Coordinates of all heavy atoms in Angstrom, one line a residue:
I291 N 0.8 -1.2 0.0 CA 0.0 0.0 0.0 C 0.9 1.3 0.0 O 0.6 2.2 -0.8 CB -1.0 0.0 1.2 CG1 -2.0 -1.2 1.0 CG2 -1.7 1.3 1.3 CD1 -2.9 -1.3 2.2
L292 N 1.9 1.3 0.9 CA 2.8 2.5 0.9 C 4.0 2.3 0.0 O 4.7 3.3 -0.3 CB 3.3 2.7 2.3 CG 2.3 3.0 3.4 CD1 3.0 3.4 4.7 CD2 1.4 4.2 3.0
F293 N 4.2 1.0 -0.5 CA 5.3 0.7 -1.4 C 6.7 1.2 -0.8 O 7.5 1.7 -1.5 CB 5.1 1.4 -2.8 CG 3.9 0.9 -3.5 CD1 2.7 1.6 -3.5 CD2 3.9 -0.4 -4.1 CE1 1.6 1.1 -4.1 CE2 2.8 -0.9 -4.7 CZ 1.6 -0.1 -4.7
L294 N 6.9 0.9 0.5 CA 8.1 1.2 1.2 C 9.2 0.2 0.9 O 8.9 -1.0 0.9 CB 7.9 1.3 2.7 CG 7.3 2.5 3.3 CD1 7.1 2.3 4.8 CD2 8.3 3.7 3.2
K295 N 10.4 0.7 0.5 CA 11.5 -0.2 0.3 C 12.2 -0.5 1.7 O 12.9 -1.5 1.8 CB 12.4 0.3 -0.7 CG 11.8 0.4 -2.1 CD 12.8 1.1 -3.1 CE 14.0 0.3 -3.4 NZ 14.9 0.9 -4.4
N296 N 12.1 0.5 2.6 CA 12.7 0.3 3.9 C 12.1 -0.8 4.6 O 10.9 -1.1 4.5 CB 12.5 1.6 4.8 CG 12.9 2.9 4.1 OD1 12.1 3.4 3.3 ND2 14.1 3.4 4.3
E297 N 12.9 -1.5 5.4 CA 12.4 -2.6 6.2 C 12.0 -2.1 7.6 O 12.9 -1.5 8.3 CB 13.5 -3.7 6.4 CG 12.9 -5.0 7.1 CD 13.9 -6.1 7.1 OE1 15.0 -5.9 6.5 OE2 13.6 -7.2 7.7
L298 N 10.8 -2.3 8.0 CA 10.3 -1.9 9.3 C 10.0 -3.1 10.1 O 9.5 -4.1 9.6 CB 9.0 -1.1 9.1 CG 9.1 0.4 8.9 CD1 9.9 0.8 7.7 CD2 7.7 1.1 8.9
V299 N 10.4 -3.0 11.4 CA 10.2 -4.2 12.3 C 9.6 -3.7 13.6 O 9.5 -2.5 13.9 CB 11.6 -4.8 12.6 CG1 12.3 -5.3 11.4 CG2 12.5 -3.7 13.3
I300 N 9.1 -4.7 14.3 CA 8.4 -4.5 15.6 C 9.4 -4.1 16.6 O 10.4 -4.7 16.8 CB 7.7 -5.7 16.1 CG1 6.5 -6.1 15.1 CG2 7.1 -5.6 17.5 CD1 5.9 -7.5 15.3
T301 N 9.2 -2.9 17.3 CA 10.1 -2.5 18.4 C 9.4 -2.6 19.7 O 10.1 -2.7 20.8 CB 10.5 -1.0 18.1 OG1 9.3 -0.2 18.0 CG2 11.3 -0.9 16.9
E302 N 8.1 -2.6 19.8 CA 7.4 -2.7 21.1 C 6.1 -3.5 20.8 O 5.5 -3.4 19.7 CB 7.0 -1.4 21.7 CG 8.1 -0.6 22.3 CD 7.6 0.6 23.0 OE1 7.1 1.5 22.3 OE2 7.7 0.7 24.2
S303 N 5.6 -4.2 21.8 CA 4.4 -4.9 21.7 C 3.8 -5.0 23.1 O 4.5 -5.2 24.1 CB 4.6 -6.3 21.1 OG 5.6 -7.1 21.8
W304 N 2.5 -4.9 23.2 CA 1.8 -4.8 24.5 C 0.3 -5.2 24.4 O -0.2 -5.4 23.3 CB 1.9 -3.3 25.0 CG 1.1 -2.4 24.2 CD1 -0.2 -2.0 24.4 CD2 1.5 -1.7 23.0 NE1 -0.6 -1.1 23.5 CE2 0.4 -0.9 22.6 CE3 2.7 -1.6 22.3 CZ2 0.5 -0.1 21.4 CZ3 2.7 -0.8 21.1 CH2 1.6 -0.1 20.7
I305 N -0.3 -5.2 25.5 CA -1.8 -5.4 25.5 C -2.4 -4.2 26.3 O -1.7 -3.6 27.2 CB -2.3 -6.7 26.1 CG1 -1.9 -6.9 27.6 CG2 -1.7 -7.9 25.3 CD1 -3.1 -6.5 28.5
S306 N -3.6 -3.8 26.0 CA -4.3 -2.9 26.8 C -5.6 -3.6 27.3 O -6.2 -4.4 26.5 CB -4.6 -1.6 26.1 OG -5.6 -1.8 25.1
R307 N -6.0 -3.3 28.5 CA -7.2 -3.9 29.0 C -8.1 -2.9 29.6 O -7.7 -2.1 30.6 CB -6.9 -5.0 30.1 CG -8.0 -5.8 30.5 CD -7.6 -7.1 31.3 NE -7.3 -6.8 32.7 CZ -6.3 -7.3 33.4 NH1 -5.5 -8.2 32.8 NH2 -6.1 -7.0 34.7
A308 N -9.3 -2.7 29.1 CA -10.2 -1.7 29.5 C -11.3 -2.3 30.3 O -12.1 -3.0 29.7 CB -10.7 -0.9 28.4
R309 N -11.4 -2.1 31.6 CA -12.5 -2.6 32.4 C -13.8 -1.8 32.0 O -13.7 -0.8 31.4 CB -12.1 -2.5 33.9 CG -11.0 -3.3 34.3 CD -10.8 -3.3 35.8 NE -9.7 -4.2 36.2 CZ -8.6 -3.9 36.9 NH1 -8.4 -2.6 37.1 NH2 -7.7 -4.8 37.2
P310 N -14.9 -2.3 32.4 CA -16.2 -1.6 32.2 C -16.1 -0.2 32.6 O -15.7 0.1 33.8 CB -17.2 -2.4 32.9 CG -16.7 -3.8 32.9 CD -15.2 -3.6 33.1
G311 N -16.4 0.8 31.8 CA -16.4 2.2 32.1 C -15.0 2.9 31.8 O -15.0 4.1 31.8
A312 N -14.0 2.1 31.6 CA -12.6 2.7 31.4 C -12.5 3.3 30.0 O -13.1 2.8 29.0 CB -11.6 1.6 31.6
T313 N -11.7 4.3 29.9 CA -11.4 4.9 28.6 C -9.9 5.2 28.5 O -9.3 5.5 29.5 CB -12.2 6.2 28.4 OG1 -12.0 6.8 27.1 CG2 -11.8 7.2 29.5
H314 N -9.4 5.2 27.3 CA -8.0 5.5 27.1 C -7.8 7.0 26.7 O -8.4 7.4 25.7 CB -7.4 4.6 26.0 CG -5.9 4.4 26.1 ND1 -5.3 3.3 25.6 CD2 -5.0 5.1 26.8 CE1 -4.0 3.4 25.9 NE2 -3.8 4.5 26.6
H315 N -7.0 7.7 27.4 CA -6.9 9.1 27.2 C -6.2 9.4 25.8 O -5.6 8.6 25.2 CB -6.0 9.7 28.3 CG -4.6 9.3 28.3 ND1 -4.2 8.0 28.5 CD2 -3.4 9.9 27.9 CE1 -2.9 7.8 28.4 NE2 -2.4 9.0 28.0
R316 N -6.3 10.7 25.4 CA -5.7 11.1 24.1 C -4.2 11.0 24.3 O -3.6 11.6 25.2 CB -6.2 12.5 23.8 CG -5.7 13.1 22.5 CD -6.3 14.5 22.3 NE -6.0 15.0 21.0 CZ -4.9 15.8 20.8 NH1 -4.1 16.1 21.8 NH2 -4.6 16.3 19.6
H317 N -3.6 10.4 23.3 CA -2.1 10.2 23.4 C -1.6 9.9 22.0 O -2.3 9.6 21.0 CB -1.8 9.1 24.3 CG -2.3 7.7 23.9 ND1 -3.6 7.3 23.9 CD2 -1.6 6.6 23.4 CE1 -3.8 6.1 23.5 NE2 -2.6 5.7 23.1
K318 N -0.2 9.9 21.9 CA 0.5 9.5 20.7 C 1.5 8.4 21.1 O 1.7 8.1 22.3 CB 1.2 10.6 20.1 CG 0.4 11.8 19.7 CD 1.2 13.0 19.1 CE 0.3 14.2 18.8 NZ 1.1 15.3 18.3
H319 N 2.1 7.7 20.2 CA 3.1 6.7 20.5 C 4.5 7.2 20.1 O 4.9 7.2 18.9 CB 2.8 5.4 19.7 CG 1.5 4.8 20.2 ND1 0.9 3.8 19.4 CD2 0.8 5.0 21.3 CE1 -0.2 3.4 20.1 NE2 -0.3 4.1 21.2
P320 N 5.3 7.7 21.0 CA 6.6 8.3 20.7 C 7.6 7.2 20.3 O 7.4 6.0 20.6 CB 7.0 8.9 22.0 CG 6.3 8.2 23.1 CD 5.0 7.8 22.5
N321 N 8.6 7.6 19.6 CA 9.7 6.7 19.2 C 9.3 5.6 18.3 O 9.8 4.5 18.4 CB 10.5 6.2 20.4 CG 11.0 7.3 21.3 OD1 11.5 8.3 20.9 ND2 10.7 7.1 22.6
A322 N 8.3 5.9 17.5 CA 7.8 4.9 16.5 C 7.4 5.6 15.2 O 7.1 6.8 15.2 CB 6.6 4.1 17.1
L323 N 7.3 4.8 14.1 CA 6.8 5.3 12.9 C 5.4 5.0 12.6 O 4.6 5.8 12.3 CB 7.7 4.8 11.7 CG 9.1 5.2 11.7 CD1 9.9 4.5 10.5 CD2 9.3 6.7 11.5
F324 N 5.0 3.7 12.9 CA 3.6 3.3 12.7 C 3.2 2.4 13.9 O 4.1 1.8 14.6 CB 3.5 2.4 11.5 CG 3.5 3.2 10.2 CD1 4.7 3.4 9.5 CD2 2.4 3.8 9.7 CE1 4.8 4.1 8.3 CE2 2.4 4.6 8.5 CZ 3.6 4.7 7.8
S325 N 1.9 2.5 14.2 CA 1.4 1.6 15.3 C 0.3 0.7 14.7 O -0.4 1.1 13.7 CB 0.8 2.5 16.4 OG 1.8 3.2 17.0
I326 N 0.1 -0.4 15.3 CA -0.9 -1.3 14.8 C -1.7 -1.8 16.1 O -1.1 -2.1 17.1 CB -0.3 -2.5 14.0 CG1 -1.4 -3.4 13.5 CG2 0.7 -3.3 14.8 CD1 -0.9 -4.4 12.4
V327 N -3.0 -1.8 16.0 CA -3.8 -2.4 17.1 C -4.8 -3.4 16.6 O -5.4 -3.2 15.6 CB -4.5 -1.2 17.9 CG1 -3.6 -0.4 18.7 CG2 -5.4 -0.4 17.0
Y328 N -4.9 -4.5 17.3 CA -5.8 -5.6 17.0 C -6.7 -5.8 18.2 O -6.3 -5.9 19.3 CB -5.0 -6.9 16.7 CG -5.9 -8.1 16.7 CD1 -6.8 -8.3 15.6 CD2 -5.9 -9.0 17.7 CE1 -7.6 -9.4 15.6 CE2 -6.7 -10.2 17.6 CZ -7.6 -10.3 16.6 OH -8.4 -11.4 16.6
Y329 N -8.0 -5.8 17.8 CA -9.1 -5.9 18.9 C -9.4 -7.4 19.1 O -10.1 -8.0 18.4 CB -10.3 -5.1 18.5 CG -10.0 -3.6 18.5 CD1 -9.4 -3.0 17.4 CD2 -10.3 -2.8 19.6 CE1 -9.1 -1.6 17.5 CE2 -10.0 -1.5 19.7 CZ -9.4 -0.9 18.6 OH -9.1 0.5 18.6
A330 N -8.7 -7.9 20.2 CA -8.8 -9.3 20.5 C -10.2 -9.7 21.1 O -10.7 -10.8 20.8 CB -7.7 -9.7 21.4
D331 N -10.7 -8.8 21.9 CA -12.1 -9.0 22.5 C -12.7 -7.7 22.7 O -12.3 -7.0 23.7 CB -11.9 -9.8 23.8 CG -13.3 -10.3 24.3 OD1 -14.3 -10.1 23.6 OD2 -13.3 -11.0 25.3
C332 N -13.6 -7.3 21.9 CA -14.2 -6.0 21.9 C -15.6 -6.0 21.2 O -15.7 -5.9 20.0 CB -13.3 -5.0 21.3 SG -14.0 -3.3 21.1
P333 N -16.7 -6.2 22.0 CA -18.0 -6.3 21.3 C -18.3 -5.1 20.5 O -18.8 -5.2 19.3 CB -19.0 -6.3 22.5 CG -18.1 -6.9 23.6 CD -16.8 -6.4 23.4
S334 N -18.0 -3.9 20.9 CA -18.1 -2.7 20.1 C -17.4 -1.5 20.9 O -17.5 -1.4 22.1 CB -19.5 -2.3 19.8 OG -20.2 -2.0 21.0

């Protein structure tokens, strides 16, 4: 999609867990180029 010739690799990996009523504040991910999030269990 981006047609990047550069090789990009995973530098950090984590999980987030939001209990009922919890919300994640506005933020950015420093020291990274791209981030990826996968919703493992999230009704909506």
Side-chain angles (χ1 to χ4, degrees):
I291 295 179
L292 297 186
F293 298 99
L294 277 175
K295 293 174 68 176
N296 308 83
E297 186 174 358
L298 271 59
V299 295
I300 296 170
T301 55
E302 287 187 294
S303 52
W304 68 92
I305 65 99
S306 71
R307 191 166 80 217
R309 295 187 174 119
T313 184
H314 206 160
H315 67 290
R316 184 176 182 268
H317 65 287
K318 301 177 182 180
H319 294 165
N321 305 315
L323 295 178
F324 286 92
S325 295
I326 184 166
V327 289
Y328 167 70
Y329 291 84
D331 192 0
C332 173
S334 66

